[in-house]
Amino acid sequence: MTRIYPHIIVAKFGGTSVADFDAMSRSATLVLADKNVRLVVLSASAGVTNLLVGLASGLESSLRLDKIETLRALQYNIISRLKQPEAVSQQIDHLLDNISRLAEIAVDSRSAALCDELVSHGELMSSLLFVEVLREQGVETQWFDARKVIRTDDTFGCAAPAINAIADLSEKHLRPRIEQALVVTQGFIGSDTAEQTTTLGRGGSDYTASLLAEALQASRVDIWTDVAGIYTTDPRIVAQAKRIDNISFSEASEMATFGAKVLHPATLLPAIRKNIPVFVGASNDPSAGGTLVCRDVPEPARYRALAVRRQQTLLKLSSINAQPTHRFLAEIFGILSRHDIATDLVTISEKSIALILNATSSTSGEADMLPATLLSELSPHCHVEIESGLALVSLIGNALSQATAVCKEVFAELEKHPVRMICHGASSHTLCFLLPAEFADSAVKALHRGLLE
């Protein structure tokens, strides 16, 4: 009998939450604890995506075979714990054979499209295995291929979703299923209009969950990971970091954009559009509580949190022609746009532009590799300097661009750090500093101690 669920919850589980059989079993218990959880979105098991990205780089035979055997062992460590391993082993073997075939092609023909096709297998395998874990607990469960509804453009490695198409396809293909059974699908992956596999960028499973929640008009998104919520900074850097029980969409979005690993940077965009609360908790310790991200938070703090984004590249462009600044800027940004070079922080003087390039957003992790064609097109217009090995430290808060004494308080804590670039004022929630990577952790510790403890 069809049952209508007016309060759908979309639950997403990260790689550590589906790392092995025990982790999957804990996650299954969480799913079954709330009857409103109707759609489960999974990452690949921990470590699998990195192995697949390595295979997509075109490894020589012995290294390639070693990684494939490691992948096989990870899958069969889970399969061997199932009561009926034969229910899924043939499907997993087929996917492993396909991985091997694609990895061999990558030796002679690397491409972003091939990389997306290859890495998609991590989520396909974890979701198939999780379905069997749920079924063995007596739950009617359906496996669903996310590529049927997550429609994107063809920017392989970091594809942009087609919001309206996702809504239409989800209503057609997903809603009838979630009213019949619990549905398990994949995060991170989608398809373009030619039905080629695409990915939403590293960590994109959170984004998938939020996009599907928006399409289905869900009442909440639960993000289950290995930490009990969002903290004032990474506890691995600062032991005194504290959990933030309630945080606004705008604060959490800035944290994600500027390096906090708990959420994918784009996760909150669909949630904001439909005002869908997002809960973040630890699947290995759900009783520890977590963080609720929502539209409004009473009495927001001036200084809320610190985030770090590593693998940053500074691109400095100085005009070599006598032309008005506005024409120079138009030429430079036109060139960058034609080469799909994404920049999110920029400073400008009369004849120079400094831009920060982020190498952590794409599936391959090679966003900082500037193509020779770009450099040759820039050279007639400007002198180009490239500086890598940098990290971006961001202070997140509220009304920072309007409050007094912010710069005095912040720079007092950074007086021993060589700040390469500052971005302040464009956002009232963020003050950013670019530093050599080796100074990032000490800067975070100093700022946390002086402003957040």
Side-chain angles (χ1 to χ4, degrees):
M1 181 180 70
T2 299
R3 180 176 178 180
I4 303 300
Y5 291 87
H7 303 293
I8 295 168
I9 294 174
V10 177
K12 179 264 176 179
F13 292 88
T16 56
S17 299
V18 291
D20 53 34
F21 181 83
D22 292 332
M24 284 192 173
S25 296
R26 287 191 297 269
S27 296
T29 300
L30 273 173
V31 169
L32 301 181
D34 190 333
K35 61 180 176 55
N36 289 313
V37 175
R38 305 305 302 158
L39 180 62
V40 179
V41 176
L42 296 188
S43 296
S45 298
V48 167
T49 299
N50 286 338
L51 288 167
L52 292 168
V53 170
L55 289 169
S57 67
L59 299 175
E60 57 104 20
S61 180
S62 60
L63 289 174
R64 188 170 72 249
L65 292 174
D66 284 347
K67 288 188 182 293
I68 292 170
E69 284 308 308
T70 301
L71 283 170
R72 187 180 301 277
L74 287 169
Q75 308 313 307
Y76 271 87
N77 283 341
I78 299 171
I79 292 172
S80 65
R81 299 280 299 278
L82 293 170
K83 296 173 185 175
Q84 295 182 304
E86 66 279 0
V88 72
S89 58
Q90 187 174 352
Q91 292 169 291
I92 297 298
D93 285 343
H94 173 73
L95 291 173
L96 288 167
D97 289 343
N98 207 36
I99 289 170
S100 181
R101 179 183 63 81
L102 292 169
E104 192 168 347
I105 293 173
V107 175
D108 298 315
S109 181
R110 290 178 58 189
S111 71
L114 178 64
C115 183
D116 277 5
E117 179 69 29
L118 223 168
V119 299
S120 70
H121 286 66
E123 279 72 16
L124 295 173
M125 291 190 294
S126 66
S127 56
L128 283 167
L129 293 168
F130 195 65
V131 165
E132 293 308 314
V133 172
L134 285 166
R135 285 175 177 169
E136 290 192 353
Q137 296 196 31
V139 183
E140 185 179 355
T141 310
Q142 291 186 19
W143 182 86
F144 183 78
D145 190 334
R147 292 172 294 188
K148 291 183 177 180
V149 297
I150 300 296
R151 184 71 69 244
T152 73
D153 65 10
D154 61 357
T155 307
F156 299 103
C158 196
I163 307 302
N164 292 335
I166 291 170
D168 292 342
L169 292 168
S170 295
E171 197 64 33
K172 179 180 179 180
H173 297 295
L174 259 183
R175 190 175 297 278
R177 290 173 180 265
I178 63 176
E179 291 175 356
Q180 296 282 349
L182 178 62
V183 176
V184 175
T185 193
Q186 309 80 37
F188 179 53
I189 66 175
S191 66
D192 63 13
T193 53
E195 298 187 353
Q196 298 177 99
T197 297
T198 58
T199 64
L200 301 177
R202 294 301 293 263
S205 293
D206 292 352
Y207 195 16
T208 301
S210 190
L211 286 166
L212 292 175
E214 177 185 32
L216 296 168
Q217 301 176 55
S219 61
R220 195 175 74 226
V221 179
D222 290 346
I223 305 289
W224 294 103
T225 180
D226 56 356
V227 292
I230 299 173
Y231 281 70
T232 50
T233 196
D234 188 339
R236 293 169 296 185
I237 300 174
V238 179
Q240 293 77 21
K242 298 178 181 178
R243 187 177 70 217
I244 305 168
D245 292 334
N246 294 278
I247 190 169
S248 68
F249 282 138
S250 54
E251 292 171 309
S253 181
E254 295 282 317
M255 287 186 69
T257 296
F258 291 108
K261 300 296 185 183
V262 179
L263 292 174
H264 181 277
T267 299
L268 296 175
L269 296 177
I272 291 168
R273 289 193 291 262
K274 290 293 179 70
N275 193 22
I276 303 171
V278 177
F279 175 80
V280 182
S283 62
N284 59 354
D285 189 13
S287 62
T291 298
L292 185 67
V293 188
C294 51
R295 177 168 290 172
D296 299 310
V297 174
E299 299 181 7
R302 174 185 285 191
Y303 303 124
R304 177 69 87 178
L306 290 155
V308 183
R309 207 169 69 185
R310 305 182 196 274
Q311 292 180 257
Q312 305 299 285
T313 296
L314 179 62
L315 181 64
K316 294 191 294 181
L317 308 174
S318 303
S319 176
I320 58 176
N321 299 319
Q323 61 176 324
T325 302
H326 65 279
R327 290 182 183 171
F328 173 60
L329 296 177
E331 286 176 344
I332 296 304
F333 285 109
I335 293 169
L336 294 172
S337 177
R338 286 195 294 275
H339 288 269
D340 290 322
I341 302 297
T343 62
D344 54 8
L345 291 174
V346 180
T347 62
I348 300 171
S349 66
E350 185 179 1
K351 296 294 183 181
S352 299
I353 310 172
L355 314 101
I356 296 175
L357 308 179
N358 178 20
T360 64
S361 60
S362 74
T363 297
S364 64
E366 295 180 352
D368 64 333
M369 300 294 289
L370 296 175
T373 51
L374 167 66
L375 299 178
S376 65
E377 193 171 346
L378 287 171
S379 60
H381 304 281
C382 57
H383 175 66
V384 179
E385 292 181 59
I386 302 170
E387 185 178 347
S388 56
L390 301 170
L392 188 72
V393 174
S394 300
L395 174 64
I396 289 90
N398 290 278
L400 295 182
S401 58
Q402 291 84 41
T404 59
V406 168
C407 290
K408 177 183 177 181
E409 293 170 354
V410 169
F411 284 103
E413 304 301 332
L414 291 174
E415 60 181 354
K416 296 181 180 179
H417 297 81
V419 177
R420 295 287 294 104
M421 180 172 161
I422 303 162
C423 287
H424 180 43
S427 166
S428 63
H429 292 285
T430 311
L431 176 54
C432 300
F433 317 90
L434 190 68
L435 308 100
E438 62 269 24
F439 288 90
D441 286 3
S442 63
V444 170
K445 290 175 182 177
L447 289 166
H448 196 279
R449 182 171 56 250
L451 305 177
L452 294 171
E453 293 178 20

